Amino acid sequence: MRVDGTARSLRVVLAEDSVLLRDGLIGLLTRCGHEVVAAVGDADALLTAVAEHEPDIVVTDVRMPPDFQDEGLHAAVRLRETRPGLPVLVLSQYVQRSYASELLDSGDGTGVGYLLKDRVGQVEEFVDALHDVAEGGTVVDPEVVRQLLRRRRDPLERLTPREREVLALIAEGKSNGAIARELVVSEAAVGKHIGSILTKLDLPPADETHRRVLAVLAFLRA
Amino acid sequence: MTGPGFLLSWWPWRSIAYLFTGAVVGLAVLVSIVTVAAVGGILAVVLVGLPLLVVTALSGIPVARVERRRLRLIDLDPAPDQHRTPPAPGLWPWLTTRLREQTTWRELGYALLFGGLLWPVDALVVTVALLFPLSMTATPLLMATVGDGTEAKVLKQWTVTSWPAAFGVAALGLVLLGLCAYVLGAAAGARAELTRLLIASREGELGAKVVELARSRVRLVDAFEAERRRIERDLHDGAQQRLVALSVTLGLARLDAPPGPLADQLTKAHEQAGKALAELRELIHGVHPKVLTDYGLQEAVADAADRSVVPVDVDLELPGRPHEAVEAAAYFVVCEALANVDKHSGASRATVSGGHGDGRLFLEVRDDGRGGANTDGGSGLTGLADRVSVLDGRLALSSPPGGPTLLRVEIPCELTERPDRSA
């Protein structure tokens, strides 16, 4: 867990209609040294609260009043249209590629996260993901990643199993170091795999972080 | 009506009552219809009469109601009302339902026939069949009163001048009265048959029942879908939220707990909460997947393909969204088919393709497995075939032993515009 000197304290706007869970999230975020500047219960209030507080990151539920459809997700997409690069972490009760890709298609795909609500309980993982997203990373829930890996379709068909594994970990928001630790290989080996993945996905060398996001997007759309 | 018991029963009286009230009601019907239609026709020039003309068109309904009630005088079988219940309360739904029903127009036809032709016949039969024998029976009485004991006229035709002749005529009248009772019974019976044929016929009843059954089946499917969605929502906004909150609390408690048996217990509890959440999530998804509601069939099928262990190619293009029940049935067919592919087929690849054309939604699920699937033996496919047939659709399965298996579903439906997701 990175609740130490290196991690900055984030100003968070939280949107969650269940009071019970909202209180739990506020407690969790406060406990980890972040400040919840506004906690709201519906999508309209979310838009207003973001305009008012200009937070570092928005954490929102997908399903919210009044219709309990995907208001939260759409509010997030709209927020990112007017404020490109605003980090948004969306919590969903479902594993849904459609939600994840709609979110990632908003803006350039950096600074977004799509996590299952279950993941909030894994406090360390959740807070790590929060930081990654706030710093412009892209985080996709491992459950979505797992489902996507079952579909061995173009363009992923060109990748070796190891490369797919690495790509999946990138999608989960892991750094090269973290990937190396997880797969028990050297960081140089991870770098080599990533290079090969980017080549196979036709992503010519450019800004390194940006290409990683594009690779995740390609992965999601596969 | 056979045997002398008839004469002593209530039936002759019931027949007389039926025919007599028929004459009275028929006259009233004639007067009312003519009045309303005439006034309506005249006032139609200034538009206020148009509602009156509508009333005229609907006049068969009250007439038929009275007639069905009157029918019970001589017909023991109930004559059911064949009108449908309007879909919503209020005058307008009632009016549009009635005006679209065949029954309404058949009843109007009956009312016109009744007012124009049937009631005079009723009146004639009851008059002739009662008046003739009664006046013959009354001959001695007439002779004693108006005829001064010397003469009396029978049916204003023949004159009798002696008492024995008068009593003879009276006896003849009594016999005739008995015969006329049969005539009245037969006339009333025929008249009732005609009424039943026109406003309460068995065939109409059966047809109405079949239509109603088909409708109620569709209503059941809709109710079933609504209930699924309600359950999904309840689980989702209730149990699942609480479990997530519990999991968060346990996660926080773990951070704060000093290492030791308490921390271990908390870890265990936390893991169990996580497992319960995962199970609940799968359960809710099986009840009614949210992606189907939010994004429609195309995305839901792609999602089902994602979940399949066997790799699945999806080729489904829909320019709009079908009705909810159709969407749900189609989705569950695909899910069941893919589950079967996973479990039984031994296939290495499956394809889901489909589209919309000629007013029907069609879907095909094929795999390269060993085949041998069938819809007997209580497989999930039977239930799906039933669900599809409720929507007037068809489910066809081709699965020779050795494979490949091809499942095809066709459901008639119209597509509605795809809602704009970017709004």
Side-chain angles (χ1 to χ4, degrees), chain B residues 29-395:
Chain B
V29 167
L30 177 66
V31 172
S32 328
I33 290 184
V34 167
T35 313
V36 174
V39 174
I42 293 162
L43 293 182
V45 186
V46 285
L47 291 178
V48 273
L50 291 179
L52 280 179
L53 288 181
V54 175
V55 169
T56 315
L58 293 174
S59 61
I61 298 170
V63 173
R65 184 166 298 176
V66 172
E67 282 301 280
R68 274 193 296 270
R69 185 151 290 207
R70 252 172 23 83
L71 202 57
R72 301 302 299 274
L73 275 174
I74 61 155
D75 191 339
L76 290 178
D77 287 339
D81 188 338
Q82 286 167 15
H83 288 291
R84 288 203 297 271
T85 317
L91 181 65
W92 187 248
W94 182 85
L95 204 61
T96 48
T97 311
R98 289 292 172 267
L99 287 177
R100 253 185 258 136
E101 279 177 328
Q102 206 194 348
T103 313
T104 307
W105 301 104
R106 219 173 43 203
E107 287 177 351
L108 176 65
Y110 174 79
L112 294 176
L113 188 69
F114 188 29
L117 193 68
L118 294 178
W119 75 264
V121 176
D122 287 352
L124 191 71
V125 169
V126 87
T127 314
V128 171
L130 274 184
L131 209 64
F132 283 20
L134 278 182
S135 65
M136 279 169 78
T137 315
T139 310
L141 196 66
L142 286 172
M143 201 150 127
T145 52
V146 245
D148 298 328
T150 54
E151 60 164 32
K153 277 206 161 190
V154 179
L155 301 175
K156 308 205 171 176
Q157 293 288 322
W158 309 286
T159 312
V160 269
T161 49
S162 70
W163 283 106
F167 280 108
V169 169
L172 201 62
L174 277 176
V175 173
L176 201 59
L177 193 62
L179 286 175
C180 281
Y182 282 98
V183 171
L184 279 168
R191 180 71 176 69
E193 253 337 285
L194 182 66
T195 305
R196 182 177 277 282
L197 192 72
L198 291 174
I199 60 167
S201 78
R202 295 268 165 200
E203 275 164 48
E205 206 179 306
L206 200 63
K209 248 182 206 157
V210 168
V211 170
E212 182 51 32
L213 269 175
R215 275 167 207 271
S216 77
R217 244 179 17 151
V218 172
R219 274 202 301 274
L220 266 177
V221 172
D222 283 350
F224 182 61
E225 271 319 309
E227 190 62 7
R228 281 184 101 106
R229 229 162 291 147
R230 189 189 65 75
I231 293 171
E232 179 254 352
R233 195 166 150 166
D234 283 358
L235 284 175
H236 210 99
D237 297 331
Q240 201 178 14
Q241 300 278 13
R242 274 171 196 282
L243 264 176
V244 173
L246 173 70
S247 171
V248 170
T249 314
L250 284 172
L252 276 174
R254 273 177 73 186
L255 288 183
D256 292 334
L262 177 64
D264 294 345
Q265 292 284 358
L266 278 173
T267 308
K268 215 179 257 176
H270 194 200
E271 277 165 8
Q272 277 166 9
K275 272 187 195 139
L277 255 177
E279 272 172 28
L280 185 63
R281 198 174 58 227
E282 284 307 309
L283 176 74
I284 295 175
H285 191 89
V287 171
H288 191 95
K290 195 81 180 86
V291 68
L292 187 60
T293 319
D294 287 353
Y295 291 88
L297 189 60
Q298 223 163 308
E299 288 293 335
V301 167
D303 179 67
D306 281 355
R307 288 161 184 270
S308 165
V309 176
V310 176
V312 179
D313 298 312
V314 180
D315 174 22
L316 176 63
E317 225 19 91
L318 293 176
R321 290 189 65 167
H323 180 259
E324 285 167 354
V326 175
E327 227 173 31
Y331 171 76
F332 285 111
V333 167
V334 171
C335 283
E336 179 70 24
L338 289 181
N340 286 344
V341 170
D342 277 353
K343 268 189 273 177
H344 310 299
S345 76
S348 62
R349 198 151 202 113
T351 315
V352 179
S353 56
H356 186 269
D358 293 335
R360 44 185 60 227
L361 172 76
F362 57 93
L363 281 169
E364 270 182 12
V365 183
R366 62 174 82 226
D367 68 50
D368 57 0
R370 64 176 87 92
N374 61 59
T375 48
D376 320 323
S379 90
L381 285 174
T382 316
L384 289 175
D386 288 346
R387 270 191 89 162
V388 169
S389 84
V390 167
L391 300 160
D392 280 334
R394 283 185 310 182
L395 185 144

Side-chain angles (χ1 to χ4, degrees), chain A residues 1 16-18 20-21 24-25 27-28 31-32 61 63 66-70 73-74 78 93-99 102 116-118 120-124 143 147-148 150-153 157, chain B residues 232-233 236-237 240-242 244-245 247-248 251-252 254-256 270 274 277-278 281 284-285 288-291 293-295 299 302-303 305-309 311-314 349 421-423:
Chain A
M1 193 173 163
E16 164 63 59
D17 59 291
S18 155
L20 204 62
L21 187 54
L25 278 168
L28 188 153
R31 165 73 174 65
C32 298
D61 186 7
R63 176 140 135 166
D67 296 327
F68 295 95
Q69 299 256 315
D70 44 6
L73 183 73
H74 281 132
R78 269 170 66 189
Q93 275 140 322
Y94 307 92
V95 189
Q96 217 74 270
R97 183 161 53 102
S98 323
Y99 290 150
E102 188 166 342
L116 266 184
K117 272 196 178 170
D118 301 19
V120 179
Q122 318 291 320
V123 180
E124 297 95 329
E143 197 67 34
Q147 276 190 18
L148 287 169
R150 292 205 190 124
R151 297 161 57 92
R152 295 167 205 93
R153 298 185 60 194
E157 248 160 21
Chain B
E232 179 254 352
R233 195 166 150 166
H236 210 99
D237 297 331
Q240 201 178 14
Q241 300 278 13
R242 274 171 196 282
V244 173
S247 171
V248 170
L252 276 174
R254 273 177 73 186
L255 288 183
D256 292 334
H270 194 200
L277 255 177
R281 198 174 58 227
I284 295 175
H285 191 89
H288 191 95
K290 195 81 180 86
V291 68
T293 319
D294 287 353
Y295 291 88
E299 288 293 335
D303 179 67
D306 281 355
R307 288 161 184 270
S308 165
V309 176
V312 179
D313 298 312
V314 180
R349 198 151 202 113
R421 300 296 309 173
S422 61

Side-chain angles (χ1 to χ4, degrees), chain A:
Chain A
M1 193 173 163
R2 289 189 295 195
V3 192
D4 48 33
T6 57
R8 65 188 173 118
S9 163
L10 299 170
R11 296 174 69 250
V12 183
V13 164
L14 173 66
E16 164 63 59
D17 59 291
S18 155
V19 181
L20 204 62
L21 187 54
R22 193 158 71 204
D23 290 348
L25 278 168
I26 295 174
L28 188 153
L29 291 167
T30 316
R31 165 73 174 65
C32 298
H34 302 297
E35 187 194 352
V36 179
V37 290
V40 297
D42 65 77
D44 288 338
L46 171 61
L47 299 179
T48 323
V50 169
E52 191 182 329
H53 296 285
E54 296 292 337
D56 298 323
I57 185 167
V58 171
V59 177
T60 176
D61 186 7
V62 168
R63 176 140 135 166
M64 275 204 280
D67 296 327
F68 295 95
Q69 299 256 315
D70 44 6
E71 289 87 351
L73 183 73
H74 281 132
V77 171
R78 269 170 66 189
L79 279 173
R80 284 177 60 81
E81 271 165 17
T82 48
R83 294 176 169 70
L86 171 73
V88 173
L89 178 58
V90 170
L91 301 177
S92 169
Q93 275 140 322
Y94 307 92
V95 189
Q96 217 74 270
R97 183 161 53 102
S98 323
Y99 290 150
S101 39
E102 188 166 342
L103 189 66
L104 283 159
D105 281 343
S106 69
D108 59 359
T110 59
V112 286
Y114 171 84
L115 285 185
L116 266 184
K117 272 196 178 170
D118 301 19
R119 225 56 72 184
V120 179
Q122 318 291 320
V123 180
E124 297 95 329
E125 275 180 42
F126 173 67
V127 174
D128 281 353
L130 192 77
H131 277 285
D132 283 341
V133 173
E135 280 152 25
T138 310
V139 177
V140 179
D141 196 275
E143 197 67 34
V144 177
V145 170
R146 199 170 311 147
Q147 276 190 18
L148 287 169
L149 277 178
R150 292 205 190 124
R151 297 161 57 92
R152 295 167 205 93
R153 298 185 60 194
D154 285 319
L156 300 187
E157 248 160 21
R158 275 174 271 160
L159 304 185
T160 65
R162 189 52 141 191
E163 285 162 355
R164 278 202 291 269
E165 228 172 322
V166 171
L167 183 53
L169 290 168
I170 294 175
E172 285 173 30
K174 299 237 162 56
S175 67
N176 286 12
I179 295 172
R181 275 194 299 284
E182 177 126 2
L183 300 179
V184 205
V185 293
S186 71
E187 211 164 313
V190 172
K192 232 179 85 191
H193 282 311
I194 293 176
S196 149
I197 292 167
L198 296 176
T199 314
K200 285 184 182 173
L201 294 181
D202 294 327
L203 299 169
D207 180 355
E208 176 66 16
T209 32
H210 200 71
R211 285 164 78 206
R212 282 173 79 107
V213 171
L214 289 178
V216 171
L217 286 175
F219 175 67
L220 272 173
R221 293 197 188 103

